[in-house]
Amino acid sequence: MNYDSLKIHSFAHVFLQTETEKPSKDSIFFQDGVRRIDFILSYTDDNAKDWKKKQAFEANLKKEGMELELSESDERGPYFVKIHAPWEVLVKYADMLKVKVPFMPSDFPSSRRSKVEWLLKPFRLPEHIMNPEPDCFTTTFDKERIDFFPIQDQDTFFPPSTRNRIVYHILSRCSYSNRDGSEKERKGIKQLLSNGTYTAAFPLHDCRYWLRDECSESERYSLYHHWARFLSFYKEQPLDLVRKYYGEKIGLYFAWLGFYTEMLVGAAVVGLICFLFGVFTYKNNIWSKEICDPTIGGSIVMCPLCDVNCTYWKLSSTCASSWQSHLFDNSATVFFAIFMGIWVTLFLEFWKRRQAQLGYEWDLVDFEEEQQLLQLRPEYEMKCKHRRRNPITQEMEPYMPITSKFARTCLSSATVLFWVALIIACIIGVIAYRLAAYAAFAKIMKDSPTSQLQFVGPLITPQLATSITASFLNFIIIMILNVVYERVAIWITDKEIPKTHMEYENRLTMKMFLFQFVNFYSACFYVAFFKGKFVGYPGHYTYMFGGWRKLRNEECAPGGCLMELTTQLVIIMVGKQLCGNIQEVLLPWLRNLWGRHKAHSPGSIYCRWEQDHDLQALSQLGLFYEYLEMVIQFGFITLFVASFPLAPLLALFNNIVEVRVDAWKFTTQLRRPVAAKAHSIGAWEEILNGVAVLSVVTNAFIVAFTSDMIPRLVYYYVYRPGDAPTMEGYIANSLSIFKISDFPPNDTSIRSEKPAWFKSSVTICRYRDYRYPPGHENQYSHSLQFWHILAAKLAFIIIMEHVVFIVKFFVAWMIPDIPEEVTARIKRERYHTQKKLHHYELEKLRLQLSEGSTPFHAPSPGDRSSLDPATLPLDVAEGETEGEVSVLPYDSTEEKETLATFL
């Protein structure tokens, strides 16, 4: 059979209905205008091998009861297969997937309106947008009790999101291999997309986002008009409409992002107050005044910062950076660090309550168990050849032996550890570059003309040049490793063969976040906890890789390490979020613009499926990167917030934009994703809890070891001269003395070029440390004050951690995870479900008895042995007269299939 005849043969045997008339531009229906398009498959005109796969796949779809119709855009393709799920298929799979549907209006009283509702009115959306569906009690759909549900219209009973979820479930499990046993069974639309048989598979948007369609729900138009436009940034989010259109998984993401943004308001206000405290106490900064004083800081000569091309310098050169450091390194820093430790606990606990409320409203209460029992991944079913009986369902199901699971876990763990070690090796390489480049830039820029510029000259320093070039080098390494590791992480997770979709996503999330955690936070951890901590002292400096490479460990910048950590945090956090938002807006828009220009011929009909085909698809990791961006930001505002109290304020401004940017992208630039259910935000919740605990430790260490808070307090209470409460003399006390003549003869510091102000009368230089002066019996050893400060730092860490953790656990204990109202609603719904099902089964039995369709033999009143109590959904009331029916609801939440009554 040749290629052209194969095409005709495939169309004939798959019963594709080819269009004869031009469709409406925005039609979401088949050519008959009645059957709704639930899914679209697209492909191009290619080889015969792909045609055989398509032929088998589409034929098997027909056997499943799906209805197909072919459409092609023009002579160049692509071709589109429109899929419609008839009522019988929807009923079958809604029962199989345990879809929850309404069965009666809710009689639970609505929440009370706030007394300040009039103040919130400008932030509210119209009622039909916020609540697109009436409040109803729901229960699991059962095709055997189909007349129990109030089905008024079969075409609209299941919403489009449920329909496309059912269709995708069928597509992901439909076979495309011949069933004659001649080849290994292969199935799933995912495999057909990966091997190029089909180019795309997606559900349709219901209309154009800027124009309402009278023939459809036009929910996309409502989302764009009330949610996706930036001018609506101050409005609440229509989460119920988002969930109805995109599914629970995407709805939960926007619910979490909105809740996180709201909680940032309090943290931003407190952080701003702490920053203003630093501004208002600016002039009371005694130690900065001493640094800037020509008679104090101007007379203190500091030792060289590197071995080659570095010279002596005066402490007064750090005057500006010292004043800037006080804005963030002040007494309010400790308060803010403790506050953020409590804030993060409140955020996580209140989110649990909000998630529980959404879980009830969106029918996700029992979803996790259903997910484990029903939502097996097609890849798991195909690759697991072993079968065993499920102890619950008593049905044979695939499983993976423990030996195979252990081997795959070992392979995964070893690969992840290798990549983390590779990242650490790259970080060490960047640090080595910084150490080597600083001396080189010091030599190049010593007599550079740029130093003579009026305003920017003092800013162009070896430190700045080293930091910028090292940041670019680090950025390039991060991007290369990120691209490669993403593919490696997906490959590893596929090799593990997770059982369910939720398990797959959680494993992939943990692998990717571990990598991104090391990538994004490594530079901040280095500056906060390692830079300037293992330097040594003049003449006996500590070197990286030992002394043979002469890479002397970095010292803190003249303004101190806290200011450098603040700068690093601002650059990474603000720069990443700014570039991310621009990337999220520009890249999809430009790609879609180019796709429309390339694919659309002038004068041809641009159908709804063609419009959506030219949009960008939400990738497998699309929602993952949205979460990752926010969780990385969450880490910045919690792990290192003690160094930058304005971080929550910047995050708040970013998130206000982020909500609308993501909404705009989903509504206008992406194809409609397949609706997916999720009972929570998954592994991200555990990651947030881990970051919250770690943040208490990191902030305690930042306050103790990175800032000068503890040394100043020790000096104030123990080492200040006299009884006057003053900080005068702190700068001289914090600098140790080194005798220049004590430099080793081979030390390059004594041979370096001296500045013009350096005179032979200068015999000592100072350095940041607490060591005994020359001439002391323990010269250049750590002084007693050093050990007092170290003890105070450790004591502060222990006290702060214990105080914050005690408050965290107490707050978590005080706030229940599920609100009382939600618990009451769940119990009320289960009560009504049991009651309605009882009356339904009783009425059904009476109808059968009255029609005589089912013979019924009542046992004698004394013979109860034939009735199995385990199968009785109803208890028989005692003391009733013979022949009367008296039933009481059975005290159980499980639905019973059998109804027994005593006559």
Side-chain angles (χ1 to χ4, degrees):
M1 183 180 295
N2 59 27
Y3 177 65
D4 293 333
S5 62
L6 181 63
K7 290 172 59 177
I8 299 174
H9 182 76
S10 66
F11 292 153
H13 281 67
V14 182
F15 305 102
L16 291 175
Q17 303 170 3
T18 308
E19 301 174 53
T20 58
E21 299 179 6
K22 292 185 177 181
S24 171
K25 185 175 182 179
D26 271 322
S27 174
I28 57 173
F29 296 93
F30 272 25
Q31 191 62 32
D32 56 18
V34 176
R35 292 172 294 173
R36 186 188 185 104
I37 301 174
D38 295 312
F39 227 86
I40 292 289
L41 303 179
S42 70
Y43 61 92
T44 55
D45 198 356
D46 45 23
N47 56 53
K49 183 179 179 180
D50 288 343
W51 274 104
K52 290 180 180 179
K53 294 177 182 177
K54 285 194 284 287
Q55 179 186 9
F57 185 70
E58 292 166 359
N60 291 331
L61 285 178
K62 292 288 291 184
K63 292 178 182 178
E64 288 288 340
M66 310 297 287
E67 298 178 0
L68 311 180
E69 185 176 86
L70 176 67
S71 174
E72 59 179 270
S73 57
D74 52 35
E75 65 279 359
R76 299 176 301 171
Y79 300 91
F80 297 95
V81 178
K82 296 177 282 187
I83 302 177
H84 170 75
W87 173 252
E88 295 76 14
V89 174
L90 295 175
V91 167
K92 173 184 175 181
Y93 282 93
D95 178 79
M96 181 186 300
L97 297 177
K98 305 298 182 184
V99 175
K100 288 193 173 183
V101 295
F103 68 93
M104 66 172 290
S106 173
D107 62 354
F108 207 88
S110 59
S111 302
R112 297 179 180 179
R113 288 187 172 272
S114 173
K115 295 181 179 180
V116 294
E117 184 66 26
W118 60 275
L119 288 175
L120 303 177
K121 189 174 182 180
F123 306 99
R124 301 297 190 192
L125 290 175
E127 181 66 21
H128 71 281
I129 299 297
M130 288 300 299
N131 300 295
E133 296 177 311
D135 187 13
C136 294
F137 289 138
T138 60
T139 189
T140 304
F141 184 80
D142 187 352
K143 64 181 180 181
E144 302 299 330
R145 299 168 174 163
I146 195 168
D147 53 340
F148 172 75
F149 303 98
I151 303 175
Q152 299 178 355
D153 187 352
Q154 294 181 352
D155 294 331
T156 59
F157 182 71
F158 294 109
S161 59
T162 302
R163 296 175 67 102
N164 72 57
R165 184 163 67 92
I166 291 174
V167 173
Y168 186 76
H169 178 84
I170 298 172
L171 292 175
S172 62
R173 286 159 176 79
C174 184
S175 173
Y176 60 88
S177 57
N178 296 324
R179 296 189 175 181
D180 55 4
S182 59
E183 60 180 86
K184 181 181 178 181
E185 183 181 11
R186 301 180 182 276
K187 60 182 179 179
I189 186 63
K190 188 176 179 180
Q191 294 294 327
L192 292 174
L193 290 173
S194 62
N195 62 30
T197 304
Y198 289 100
T199 58
F202 54 92
L204 286 178
H205 284 296
D206 61 357
C207 67
R208 288 177 285 181
Y209 67 85
W210 67 89
L211 185 64
R212 184 183 297 277
D213 186 0
E214 299 299 332
C215 297
S216 67
E217 300 86 352
S218 298
E219 292 173 349
R220 186 189 187 193
Y221 169 82
S222 299
L223 286 171
Y224 174 74
H225 185 72
H226 296 282
W227 179 53
R229 296 192 301 175
F230 183 74
L231 293 178
S232 302
F233 73 92
Y234 62 95
K235 296 280 189 178
E236 59 184 339
Q237 294 191 84
L239 294 177
D240 287 342
L241 186 58
V242 174
R243 170 251 182 175
K244 182 183 177 185
Y245 192 75
Y246 290 113
E248 288 78 4
K249 190 173 183 180
I250 293 177
L252 272 175
Y253 163 71
F254 281 102
W256 177 82
L257 179 57
F259 182 81
Y260 171 44
T261 304
E262 293 173 5
M263 289 293 293
L264 277 174
V265 174
V269 171
V270 176
L272 181 60
I273 293 174
C274 292
F275 175 76
L276 293 177
F277 175 83
V279 174
F280 292 144
T281 59
Y282 192 75
K283 295 182 179 180
N284 299 328
N285 185 2
I286 303 298
W287 48 92
S288 294
K289 291 181 180 180
E290 290 186 348
I291 291 176
C292 299
D293 191 338
T295 61
I296 301 178
S299 63
I300 296 178
V301 178
M302 302 294 293
C303 299
L305 293 174
C306 64
D307 289 345
V308 182
N309 302 318
C310 292
T311 185
Y312 300 93
W313 52 284
K314 290 186 177 182
L315 183 62
S316 58
S317 63
T318 66
C319 176
S321 59
S322 176
W323 285 108
Q324 295 168 4
S325 178
H326 175 72
L327 297 175
F328 308 105
D329 188 5
N330 53 66
S331 56
T333 302
V334 179
F335 165 77
F336 190 61
I338 296 175
F339 169 81
M340 287 302 294
I342 300 172
W343 173 88
V344 72
T345 303
L346 293 173
F347 164 67
L348 294 175
E349 292 301 318
F350 282 124
W351 166 246
K352 290 179 184 177
R353 293 172 60 85
R354 177 63 173 148
Q355 188 171 251
Q357 181 181 359
L358 291 174
Y360 166 75
E361 294 176 356
W362 293 355
D363 300 323
L364 303 172
V365 174
D366 301 320
F367 173 72
E368 185 175 13
E369 182 179 355
E370 297 168 7
Q371 169 81 12
Q372 297 296 326
L373 295 177
L374 301 171
Q375 303 279 325
L376 294 180
R377 296 176 63 240
E379 294 83 358
Y380 182 85
E381 296 175 335
M382 286 190 298
K383 295 179 181 179
C384 292
K385 302 304 180 183
H386 299 80
R387 294 290 188 272
R388 67 180 178 185
R389 189 174 301 278
N390 187 306
I392 300 176
T393 62
Q394 294 299 311
E395 296 179 356
M396 299 301 293
E397 66 176 12
Y399 85 101
M400 183 183 298
I402 188 66
T403 55
S404 176
K405 186 181 295 185
F406 178 76
R408 294 173 185 275
T409 303
C410 291
L411 173 63
S412 172
S413 302
T415 307
V416 171
L417 289 177
F418 168 78
W419 277 90
V420 171
L422 182 61
I423 298 172
I424 296 175
C426 293
I427 294 169
I428 294 174
V430 173
I431 295 173
Y433 165 80
R434 293 171 64 103
L435 301 181
Y438 180 82
F441 281 117
K443 180 179 180 180
I444 295 172
M445 304 178 67
K446 181 171 60 176
D447 299 321
S448 174
T450 57
S451 61
Q452 306 300 323
L453 297 177
Q454 183 175 2
F455 296 105
V456 299
L459 301 177
I460 305 176
T461 61
Q463 292 93 335
L464 179 64
T466 302
S467 179
I468 291 176
T469 55
S471 297
F472 272 107
L473 179 62
N474 194 30
F475 175 76
I476 293 172
I477 294 174
I478 286 174
M479 295 306 295
I480 294 174
L481 293 179
N482 193 29
V483 172
V484 179
Y485 183 78
E486 178 181 322
R487 299 179 182 179
V488 172
I490 295 175
W491 178 78
I492 296 172
T493 310
D494 289 339
K495 288 298 181 183
E496 293 177 358
I497 316 179
K499 187 175 182 179
T500 64
H501 293 284
M502 184 182 300
E503 187 179 349
Y504 180 89
E505 292 179 1
N506 289 346
R507 292 188 183 186
L508 182 61
T509 297
M510 295 302 295
K511 293 182 182 67
M512 288 295 295
F513 178 77
L514 178 62
F515 175 81
Q516 299 289 353
F517 182 91
V518 178
N519 248 355
F520 283 102
Y521 298 139
S522 58
C524 292
F525 270 97
Y526 167 70
V527 174
F529 306 121
F530 296 97
K531 185 176 180 180
K533 304 299 187 295
F534 310 100
V535 177
Y537 63 94
H540 293 81
Y541 288 111
T542 306
Y543 293 87
M544 192 176 185
F545 308 121
W548 66 277
R549 292 300 299 171
K550 293 297 181 183
L551 294 177
R552 176 174 147 188
N553 284 354
E554 267 189 303
E555 294 188 46
C556 290
C561 280
L562 186 71
M563 193 62 195
E564 186 171 351
L565 176 61
T566 302
T567 305
Q568 185 95 7
L569 183 66
V570 172
I571 291 175
I572 296 178
M573 179 179 170
V574 177
K576 176 184 178 299
Q577 294 178 350
L578 183 62
C579 293
N581 285 332
I582 295 175
Q583 184 178 0
E584 287 185 9
V585 173
L586 284 182
L587 286 184
W589 182 76
L590 291 175
R591 289 172 180 170
N592 291 334
L593 187 65
W594 173 250
R596 287 192 295 268
H597 173 74
K598 183 179 179 180
H600 182 49
S601 301
S604 61
I605 298 178
Y606 201 35
C607 302
R608 162 60 40 209
W609 44 90
E610 292 175 322
Q611 297 175 37
D612 287 6
H613 179 267
D614 292 340
L615 297 176
Q616 298 297 304
L618 183 65
S619 66
Q620 179 183 0
L621 297 177
L623 205 58
F624 165 82
Y625 281 119
E626 301 295 342
Y627 273 115
L628 177 65
E629 181 181 1
M630 291 295 102
V631 173
I632 292 294
Q633 179 204 86
F634 179 81
F636 280 129
I637 69 167
T638 54
L639 294 175
F640 308 102
V641 74
S643 66
F644 187 47
L646 292 179
L649 182 63
L650 297 181
L652 175 63
F653 290 149
N654 173 81
N655 288 7
I656 291 174
V657 177
E658 181 74 24
V659 171
R660 305 304 161 177
V661 167
D662 287 346
W664 175 84
K665 182 177 66 174
F666 272 89
T667 307
T668 67
Q669 303 301 310
L670 296 180
R671 296 172 187 161
R672 186 174 184 174
V674 178
K677 295 180 76 71
H679 78 285
S680 67
I681 60 175
W684 296 111
E685 191 167 345
E686 298 301 322
I687 290 174
L688 291 173
N689 283 318
V691 172
V693 173
L694 182 61
S695 67
V696 179
V697 179
T698 56
N699 283 299
F701 272 84
I702 288 174
V703 174
F705 286 97
T706 308
S707 75
D708 284 341
M709 178 66 62
I710 303 301
R712 289 198 294 262
L713 291 176
V714 171
Y715 174 81
Y716 182 81
Y717 288 106
V718 180
Y719 289 95
R720 73 172 187 264
D723 297 329
T726 179
M727 288 296 295
E728 293 180 0
Y730 168 73
I731 292 299
N733 177 266
S734 64
L735 298 175
S736 296
I737 301 174
F738 184 79
K739 193 174 182 180
I740 296 177
S741 60
D742 288 342
F743 274 113
N746 60 345
D747 196 294
T748 57
S749 299
I750 61 176
R751 298 194 301 268
S752 61
E753 184 178 351
K754 307 297 188 296
W757 50 263
F758 191 88
K759 299 179 181 180
S760 59
S761 58
V762 178
T763 59
I764 61 171
C765 63
R766 299 290 193 100
Y767 59 98
R768 291 173 58 91
D769 208 342
Y770 292 92
R771 294 178 182 270
Y772 288 116
H776 193 277
E777 59 180 351
N778 296 318
Q779 67 174 6
Y780 304 136
S781 298
H782 284 123
S783 64
L784 185 61
Q785 185 175 357
F786 171 84
W787 300 110
H788 285 171
I789 293 174
L790 180 61
K793 290 179 177 180
L794 296 177
F796 172 81
I797 292 173
I798 294 173
I799 293 173
M800 177 178 170
E801 288 181 356
H802 280 72
V803 168
V804 174
F805 279 131
I806 290 174
V807 175
K808 281 168 64 71
F809 292 137
F810 178 74
V811 170
W813 175 74
M814 285 290 293
I815 302 176
D817 291 346
I818 302 177
E820 292 183 2
E821 182 181 353
V822 172
T823 304
R825 283 177 174 269
I826 293 174
K827 293 180 179 179
R828 182 70 176 170
E829 183 174 87
R830 288 176 176 172
Y831 166 76
H832 273 294
T833 301
Q834 186 180 6
K835 181 180 178 181
K836 292 280 287 187
L837 283 173
H838 161 62
H839 287 297
Y840 167 80
E841 294 290 354
L842 185 60
E843 188 64 28
K844 186 177 180 180
L845 180 60
R846 285 174 175 168
L847 183 62
Q848 291 176 348
L849 291 175
S850 64
E851 293 178 352
S853 59
T854 303
F856 183 81
H857 303 284
S860 62
D863 183 14
R864 297 181 178 232
S865 60
S866 61
L867 298 178
D868 183 5
T871 63
L872 290 177
L874 305 172
D875 288 339
V876 181
E878 297 182 358
E880 302 292 334
T881 59
E882 184 176 352
E884 292 182 350
V885 179
S886 178
V887 292
L888 296 174
Y890 184 73
D891 187 18
S892 173
T893 58
E894 299 180 350
E895 296 181 12
K896 300 292 187 179
E897 295 292 333
T898 310
L899 178 66
T901 181
F902 216 107
L903 299 179

